[in-house]
Structure formats: C-alpha cells, structure tokens
C-alpha cells in the first residue's frame, strides 16, 4: 500500500473563509499562528466544522484491495477515480500460471493480490486469481471476467476529500474495530498529510 498526497489547499483559504463571517481580515497573518489558532478554535473546538470544508486534499492510493475500496466508498462525501478493471485486466491475461501453490508462485501473486495473515485465505485468493487468469486467457472479455475477480485483487485510485469529511474518515477508520486494511490506510493517509495540517486531524486518530 502506498498513499501519496498530490495536492492540498493552503490553510489561509480556510482562515479567510472563517474571517469572511466576521469581516476580520485585518487580523489575519496569511496562514501564520493567528490563522492556525482561528481554524483550531472555530473548526475543531467550537465544532463549526463546515468551515473545514474549504480545505481539500487529493491523494493517489495504490495497492489496496477491492474489499478495502468498498469500505472506502462508504465515505460518500469524497470523489473517486478508480483503476478500471474493464481496461486493465490485460495485466493478468498474459502472465504464467500461479499453480502449484508454492512459495515462488505465491510471491508472484502478490503483484496482484493483497495478502492477509491467514494462509488459507491467501491460498484461496491465489486459486481465484488463477481461475480469473484462465478465463481471460480463454477469450472471455474483461466485462464478464471481472465478475469473478477476488476481493483481494489490488486496485488504485485518485481520492479527493475535504477536511471535514476526512476527520470523519479518520475517526471511524483508525479505530481498532475497523477492518485491518482500511485502518492501515487511515494511518497512511494521516502520515501523508502536511505537518502543518495535522493539528486539524490529530484528535481523530485512535491511540
């Protein structure tokens, strides 16, 4: 799994939005300590979190499973552009068989699959991968073949989200009760944030 922050809104955009309400622009310091304190006070402490919606973050997420993607898509106040299985399954079509289930072939399968801690689940995923490979090799089109893709199949996406929605995501998905993979994703997302922005989110992270 790899999370890359590709773009983000400067903090002074948020503080200026807050100051619009009070017409107190002369008190700003262009994203300095005064503006940061204002964002923390209004957006976090006073819970006027709609002001945080002026901050956007754009991420490129690689190497998560389709199962994790389903969990992520439940956070609807975000934008998703996902790697298309319709156009990219050719990456699997011309590979060699993943059988027998030995260490070499399991390692090769990790190019396409997210493995978990359970060996039997991982082996079942590789068997499903091999089944998909054979179906593609037989000439079945991607649109039909993708119906038998294992949930562990890796995907990637561009993900854009505002700070208010990101707070919600991090609160829910960094919790110990969250699916292990999306919890790992939430930690990686937080680590990808600019250091100067983390004060907005640090209280959302499960300890």
């Amino acid at each position: 799994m790899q999370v890359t922050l590709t773009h983000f809104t400067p903090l002074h955009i948020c503080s200026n939005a807050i100051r619009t309400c009070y017409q107190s622009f002369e008190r700003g310091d262009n994203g300095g300590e005064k503006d940061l304190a204002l964002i923390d006070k209004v957006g976090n402490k006073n819970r006027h979190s709609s002001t945080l919606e002026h901050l956007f973050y754009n991420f490129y997420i690689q190497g998560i499973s389709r199962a994790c993607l389903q969990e992520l898509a439940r956070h609807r106040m975000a934008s998703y552009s996902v790697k298309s299985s319709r156009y990219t399954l050719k990456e699997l079509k011309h590979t060699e068989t993943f059988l027998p289930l030995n260490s070499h072939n399991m390692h090769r399968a990790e190019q396409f699959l997210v493995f978990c801690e359970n060996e039997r689940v991982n082996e079942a995923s590789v068997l499903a991968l091999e089944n998909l490979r054979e179906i593609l090799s037989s000439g079945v089109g991607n649109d039909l073949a993708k119906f038998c893709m294992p949930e562990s199949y890796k995907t990637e996406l561009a993900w854009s989200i505002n700070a208010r929605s990101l707070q919600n995501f991090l609160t829910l998905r960094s919790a110990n009760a969250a699916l292990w993979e999306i919890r790992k994703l939430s930690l990686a997302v937080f680590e990808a944030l600019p250091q100067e922005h983390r004060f907005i989110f640090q209280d959302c992270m499960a300890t």
Side-chain angles (χ1 to χ4, degrees):
M1 177 187 300
Q2 183 176 346
V3 176
T4 305
L5 180 68
T6 57
H7 193 264
F8 60 92
T9 308
L11 288 170
H12 73 268
I13 299 297
C14 182
S15 58
N16 282 352
I18 296 171
R19 294 191 186 283
T20 299
C21 301
Y22 306 100
Q23 292 294 289
S24 60
F25 300 110
E26 72 282 355
R27 299 181 186 177
D29 57 357
N30 197 34
E33 291 184 6
K34 292 181 179 179
D35 284 350
L36 300 188
L38 180 69
I39 294 170
D40 189 41
K41 177 183 177 182
V42 175
N44 285 345
K45 294 184 173 65
N46 294 347
R47 302 295 183 185
H48 296 306
S49 50
S50 62
T51 59
L52 300 178
E53 294 176 1
H54 296 283
L55 295 174
F56 275 86
Y57 302 90
N58 307 97
F59 298 95
Y60 184 36
I61 300 172
Q62 298 168 274
I64 65 170
S65 70
R66 290 166 62 87
C68 186
L69 175 64
Q70 287 188 54
E71 296 276 337
L72 183 62
R74 293 176 183 176
H75 297 270
R76 293 182 294 276
M77 299 303 292
S79 296
Y80 302 79
S81 296
V82 182
K83 178 181 177 181
S84 171
S85 56
R86 181 179 189 182
Y87 294 106
T88 64
L89 272 181
K90 60 184 179 181
E91 66 186 8
L92 179 64
K93 182 177 181 179
H94 301 295
T95 58
E96 297 178 0
T97 180
F98 295 99
L99 298 179
L101 292 178
N102 54 37
S103 58
H104 173 70
N105 286 331
M106 294 292 286
H107 179 72
R108 286 178 53 236
E110 281 192 279
Q111 176 186 347
F112 302 98
L113 303 175
V114 173
F115 282 169
C116 66
E117 296 180 354
N118 189 293
E119 185 175 349
R120 289 185 64 190
V121 172
N122 293 339
E123 289 178 352
S125 290
V126 176
L127 290 174
L129 181 69
E130 173 62 18
N131 186 54
L132 174 61
R133 187 196 68 80
E134 289 182 353
I135 288 173
L136 288 167
S137 298
S138 72
V140 175
N142 292 354
D143 277 349
L144 287 179
K146 67 183 181 182
F147 278 87
C148 61
M149 291 177 72
E151 288 283 75
S152 56
Y153 201 92
K154 286 182 179 179
T155 190
E156 53 193 66
L157 69 149
W159 187 51
S160 300
I161 189 167
N162 70 58
R164 184 183 193 179
S165 296
L166 185 55
Q167 283 185 333
N168 175 259
F169 168 77
L170 294 174
T171 298
L172 295 175
R173 300 307 188 170
S174 68
N176 290 329
L179 175 74
W180 68 269
E181 190 183 2
I182 203 168
R183 185 168 191 266
K184 181 179 177 182
L185 175 60
S186 73
L187 298 175
V189 166
F190 180 77
E191 289 299 320
L193 291 169
Q195 190 68 42
E196 65 272 19
H197 286 238
R198 293 187 187 180
F199 75 95
I200 300 173
F201 308 100
Q202 58 190 11
D203 289 341
C204 302
M205 303 300 293
T207 55

